[in-house]
Amino acid sequence: MTDHPHPEQSAVVRQWSDAFGRLATRAVQTIAVLLVVGLTLWAMAYLGVVFIPVVLALIISSAVFPLMRWLRARGMSSLLATWLVLFSAFAVVGGLLTAIVQAVRSQWSDLVSSAQDGFDELLVLLEDLPFEVDPAQLDDAKQSAIDFVTSSQFGSGAVAGLSATGTFFTGFFLTLIITFFFMKDGPAIWEFLLRPLDGQYYDRARRIGDRSVRTMGDYIRGTATVAAVDALGIGLGLAFLQVPLALPLAVIVFLTAFIPLVGATLAGFLAALVALVDGGIWPALAVVGIVIVVNQLEGNFLQPKIMGKTLSLHPLVILIGLTAGTIIGGIVGAVLSVPIAAVAWGILQVWDGPDQPAAFIAKKPREERLDNELEVSH
């Protein structure tokens, strides 16, 4: 005997199965997803003193993971390998930072002053344009730029981005401690977290972990290489043009290159302002040309060769991620937002198998035909 649904139940089912019902269902699902994402972002911001050091430790330990694996494969204990890598990293990075600080410290105030004078000269040039430029907005932009490049403002912004409830030193030492344990016991910690999983869920979690470590490691190593090449190329160009303060400007290019898409460009704009003060409009335009050439070589040749598919994100996604990261976490958020987005995309790429992305992001036949048509047209 077949049970027939009650007429009122049938009416409710019909209401939720028509076009408006499906739209309402999707709206409720979208609200639920946005609520979860909002709560997650709120928790990340509220627990920034813990969350950001954990992410930084993951990135650092992922960057040195190939070296750790190489040392372990040759019989070295995890504890000894960890101390060896940490001390070596401190020696190299500390030596470089000390040399850079000693070289730049005496010229930093001159750099800030030159940037301010360059912006003033730029305002004078803009007065001759055929369209009107609001001087008040330009003055506000100049003041914001001056506040950003001064060390005290830069430092306070970094601390604010690191944590809303802690201090810079708390986050710094917490990052060191977490990095130590991730380097020493990272694989064991991950296996411990996977204990509740079996079968296909365990296999998926292993793929996610392996892909995340590889993505973060490739990203930080590739970004450091690209940043060094950017700094070297633009620094040599500034030295060839005899632009003053070439060394501190090259250092700024290296540091800002860790902010994808916009970092090196902003540093190049600062270099152009300095050149404008020292030599006038033509040296400044030459600096702009050097920055454009270096950025084009980086984007079209160097970055694809070094990074490969590690950062296979559309520039629009990178720009939106940078904006959101800056709003949420300040300077640190701007630096971390893109690698986090790259890891999330990499996870989706291995969701259903080693080379099988999640079904909802897999390319459809119509997209493949469009890609083929675009390749033919180009």
Side-chain angles (χ1 to χ4, degrees), residues 55-295:
V55 175
L56 289 174
L58 280 173
I59 293 176
I60 296 170
S61 56
S62 298
V64 300
F65 178 74
L67 179 58
M68 292 291 299
R69 182 173 53 190
W70 184 83
L71 292 174
R72 290 192 187 103
R74 278 146 184 82
M76 187 175 293
S77 66
S78 294
L79 180 61
L80 181 58
T82 300
W83 282 117
L84 178 62
V85 172
L86 279 178
F87 278 123
S88 300
F90 272 118
V92 174
V93 176
L96 289 175
L97 288 179
T98 301
I100 290 173
V101 169
Q102 292 296 328
V104 172
R105 183 177 58 182
S106 60
Q107 303 180 65
W108 186 254
S109 59
D110 295 335
L111 176 61
V112 175
S113 177
S114 296
Q116 183 174 357
D117 294 341
F119 201 93
D120 292 336
E121 291 195 23
L122 182 62
L123 294 181
V124 174
L125 294 174
L126 291 177
E127 292 177 356
D128 298 330
L129 293 176
F131 52 87
E132 184 178 357
V133 179
D134 188 357
Q137 293 181 351
L138 292 175
D139 288 338
D140 292 340
K142 180 187 72 172
Q143 190 60 45
S144 299
I146 294 171
D147 292 341
F148 179 78
V149 299
T150 55
S151 58
S152 60
Q153 293 293 329
F154 185 86
S156 64
V159 173
L162 182 64
S163 170
T165 59
T167 63
F168 172 80
F169 292 105
T170 301
F172 177 75
F173 287 111
L174 188 59
T175 301
L176 287 181
I177 295 171
I178 298 175
T179 301
F180 174 83
F181 286 111
F182 279 173
M183 290 173 59
K184 177 178 174 292
D185 301 319
I189 293 173
W190 186 238
E191 282 297 332
F192 173 79
L193 295 176
L194 299 185
R195 283 183 182 178
L197 304 179
D198 291 308
Q200 62 175 344
Y201 300 106
Y202 174 81
D203 294 336
R204 174 177 291 167
R206 283 302 303 267
R207 291 195 305 271
I208 288 174
D210 294 341
R211 182 59 177 260
S212 299
V213 170
R214 187 170 71 250
T215 299
M216 285 188 290
D218 290 347
Y219 174 82
I220 193 66
R221 291 189 298 269
T223 301
T225 303
V226 171
V229 173
D230 282 350
L232 182 62
I234 294 178
L236 290 176
L238 295 177
F240 177 77
L241 294 174
Q242 297 183 349
V243 175
L245 308 171
L247 180 59
L249 288 171
V251 172
I252 293 176
V253 170
F254 176 80
L255 296 176
T256 56
F258 282 88
I259 303 177
L261 201 65
V262 298
T265 302
L266 293 177
F269 176 73
L270 178 62
L273 291 180
V274 175
L276 182 64
V277 173
D278 181 69
I281 185 65
W282 294 114
L285 291 177
V287 171
V288 172
I290 291 173
V291 172
I292 292 174
V293 170
V294 171
N295 285 340

